[in-house]
Amino acid sequence: MSAHQYDHGHTVAGWAGCGIATVGAGVAGLGVCTVSGVLVAGGSAIGVVGLLVTWALHLAGWGKGPGVRPRAEWDWRVRDSAAPGGHEECLGCRLAGRGRRAGRSGRAVVPSMPVQREGEPETAAAVGADSVR
């Protein structure tokens, strides 16, 4: 369980994508320094692979949708229980055909992110703790 009073959003998908993108940026940066178009293109390709890996992990439940997750899912090693149905406000889920709002298809959308459970009050210090002022 996290020692923090709010959801950081750290996930396996986020860590993996960040790691792969960092390697890609390093390769592309090396290509710029050595004036090598092959390395710049390779670094860019690694960045695209990082994006696709992050998206695939998110769809598999190792990512996080918009909003606060239930307290039991705050740890980064816990899969997202709402992932199979898709997250309503998530671009990645909509691109994969999940979590669409009622519209052309006429299907109603069931909210996929549960609200904060009773007995888990939000502390006043945690409210807005991540906001930039």
Side-chain angles (χ1 to χ4, degrees):
M1 215 29 131
S2 176
H4 302 285
Q5 297 298 317
Y6 50 91
D7 181 18
H8 279 287
H10 299 194
T11 63
V12 172
W15 285 108
C18 182
I20 295 170
T22 300
V23 170
V27 170
L30 182 64
V32 168
C33 291
T34 61
V35 191
S36 171
V38 173
L39 286 177
V40 171
S44 298
I46 293 171
V48 170
V49 168
L51 177 71
L52 295 174
V53 166
T54 302
W55 186 32
L57 285 171
H58 172 77
L59 294 176
W62 291 108
K64 169 189 177 315
V68 179
R69 295 177 288 185
R71 194 181 225 1
E73 295 179 6
W74 281 9
D75 189 45
W76 69 276
R77 296 169 295 232
V78 177
R79 291 182 79 168
D80 182 12
S81 62
H87 305 105
E88 185 176 332
E89 298 293 324
C90 177
L91 175 62
C93 289
R94 286 190 307 228
L95 288 173
R98 297 180 183 177
R100 294 189 183 271
R101 298 176 188 210
R104 295 181 196 170
S105 65
R107 295 182 298 164
V109 173
V110 178
S112 59
M113 294 299 294
V115 295
Q116 187 170 358
R117 297 182 182 128
E118 289 184 32
E120 293 181 346
E122 188 71 26
T123 61
V127 175
D130 280 341
S131 64
V132 178
R133 294 176 196 227

